[in-house]
Amino acid sequence: MDLKIAVLPGDGIGPEISEQGVAVMTAVCEKFGHNVSYEYAICGADAIDKVGDPFPEETFKTCMEADAVLFSAVGDPKFDNDPTAKVRPEQGLLAMRKKLGLFANIRPVETFDCLIHKSPLKDELVRGADFICIRELTGGMYFGEKYQDNDKAYDTNAYTRHEVERILEVAYKYAAQRRKHLTVVDKANVLASSRLWRQVAKEIAAKYPEIETDYMFVDNAAMRMIQDPKFFDVMVTENTFGDILTDEGSCITGSMGLLPSASTGEHTPVFEPIHGSWPQAKGKNIANPLAQILSVAMLFEYFNLKEEGALIRKAVNASLDANVRTPEIQVEGSAHYGTKEVGAWIVDYVKNN
């Protein structure tokens, strides 16, 4: 298979973990006889500094011409600490999602047995937790009408029937492939937008009688994720709720540095770790590259290259079992491994297994 990949390293630790993701992808393609080419492009704070735009037209063109995008992270404290900044790195991420029509964000939440002790939850609660959060990505408050002056501000949480229908269809597709249980998360007791979500969800649920569908207010869902994370199989929700709940879900596994994601929709799909740019760690060779590497596994699986994705997952699990880990998840007293060393170990595993 021929693969043309747009690589967007971004900011902070992005370039360091991106390098490891590309190395693993190259090793897998060599092993399985695929031809892969890479086109690099700028985004985020890096792009603002260079051209004044966090998602330049040239980067958009590069993404559109690719089969997939391997993205890392954006964000920089100089923008976070300036409420008056007119252009921000995160605007580039929103622009990429909107311009590529990436309306579905898929975030698996899966525990690793050797890291259960890192979870803030008790072993018996979190062991075996395995669910997918599907977040609507191009509607809601993030893209609705906005206003701000010195005395008033608002963000409009607008959704159309079409937007709700298409994300629910994605959610049912995933539920059908898993344990056939879908939880629709909203706030229909308060918000009109959520009442539309629930109305449409009930209509679509009738088309999938083989799938158990339940409905949960977002506050209850947040509590249930802590009290009983194994309850969930597939969860679907709107943009803002999904942003919050997926970060909550990532923490119960013990480390945000282990979880990948995919954003799919109308044009080129994007694969990325769920964590941020962690600018404080930039250049220190301590960032965990596993979420980026697992994003590569999701990329292969998207193109139905399941054996390739499975080998990457096997390599990641082997690295954890061998205590080849970056500092935040390393076992006390074990050898030190940095970003580069973990990536190199996984590349070697791919080549030799």
Side-chain angles (χ1 to χ4, degrees), residues 10-11 41-56 59 87 89:
D11 307 323
I42 58 174
C43 63
D46 178 47
I48 295 174
D49 290 341
K50 289 175 178 174
V51 299
D53 184 342
F55 189 64
T59 298
V87 183

Side-chain angles (χ1 to χ4, degrees), residues 283-300:
K284 296 181 179 179
N285 194 39
I286 61 172
N288 190 345
L290 294 186
Q292 180 81 88
I293 290 168
L294 288 169
S295 297
V296 175
M298 290 188 76
L299 187 157
F300 280 119

Side-chain angles (χ1 to χ4, degrees), residues 14-252:
E16 296 168 71
I17 61 171
S18 177
E19 182 180 348
Q20 307 315 314
V22 167
V24 170
M25 176 176 283
T26 300
V28 171
C29 286
E30 288 176 353
K31 187 178 186 72
F32 287 89
H34 304 303
N35 296 314
V36 61
S37 62
Y38 304 102
E39 187 75 28
Y40 285 77
I42 58 174
C43 63
D46 178 47
I48 295 174
D49 290 341
K50 289 175 178 174
V51 299
D53 184 342
F55 189 64
E57 188 63 27
E58 191 62 32
T59 298
F60 172 55
K61 181 182 177 183
T62 298
C63 293
M64 286 291 288
E65 292 175 349
D67 297 308
V69 177
L70 186 64
F71 171 73
S72 297
V74 294
D76 190 287
K78 68 184 178 185
F79 296 96
D80 296 340
N81 299 326
D82 181 7
T84 65
K86 301 299 183 185
V87 183
R88 298 177 180 277
E90 292 77 12
Q91 290 171 339
L93 186 56
L94 296 180
M96 178 169 64
R97 292 168 179 169
K98 196 69 172 180
K99 294 178 78 170
L100 293 177
L102 303 175
F103 64 84
N105 181 235
I106 297 98
R107 290 191 177 187
V109 177
E110 183 179 359
T111 54
F112 295 81
D113 285 349
C114 64
L115 291 172
I116 293 293
H117 66 286
K118 289 284 188 179
S119 174
L121 301 186
K122 295 178 181 178
D123 184 305
E124 61 267 26
L125 291 179
V126 75
R127 187 179 295 274
D130 175 13
F131 60 94
I132 293 179
C133 297
I134 297 181
R135 168 190 171 192
E136 199 289 323
L137 207 55
T138 57
M141 282 195 290
Y142 287 21
F143 293 95
E145 183 183 349
K146 302 176 184 299
Y147 175 81
Q148 179 183 357
D149 62 28
N150 288 331
D151 301 306
K152 181 176 71 174
Y154 60 77
D155 301 276
T156 307
N157 196 43
Y159 271 104
T160 65
R161 169 176 285 272
H162 170 67
E163 289 173 322
V164 180
E165 286 177 341
R166 66 182 181 179
I167 192 67
L168 284 165
E169 293 289 355
V170 171
Y172 275 107
K173 174 185 173 183
Y174 275 89
Q177 296 169 353
R178 289 173 53 88
R179 302 192 300 274
K180 294 181 169 55
H181 176 203
L182 178 66
T183 302
V184 181
V185 177
D186 59 34
K187 192 63 176 171
N189 58 337
V190 175
L191 301 177
S193 56
S194 281
R195 286 192 282 276
L196 176 64
W197 268 76
R198 186 164 295 207
Q199 175 188 334
V200 174
K202 284 182 174 292
E203 293 170 8
I204 292 180
K207 295 166 49 180
Y208 297 93
E210 74 283 8
I211 294 174
E212 178 188 359
T213 303
D214 48 47
Y215 307 88
M216 199 174 290
F217 295 147
V218 62
D219 42 355
N220 186 26
M223 291 188 292
R224 192 71 181 266
M225 284 175 67
I226 299 301
Q227 295 170 334
D228 184 18
K230 287 182 279 192
F231 168 83
F232 296 102
D233 177 23
V234 178
M235 171 193 300
V236 63
T237 192
E238 58 104 79
N239 204 343
T240 305
F241 297 160
D243 192 1
I244 297 165
L245 290 175
T246 52
D247 279 0
E248 180 188 6
S250 72
C251 290
I252 69 176

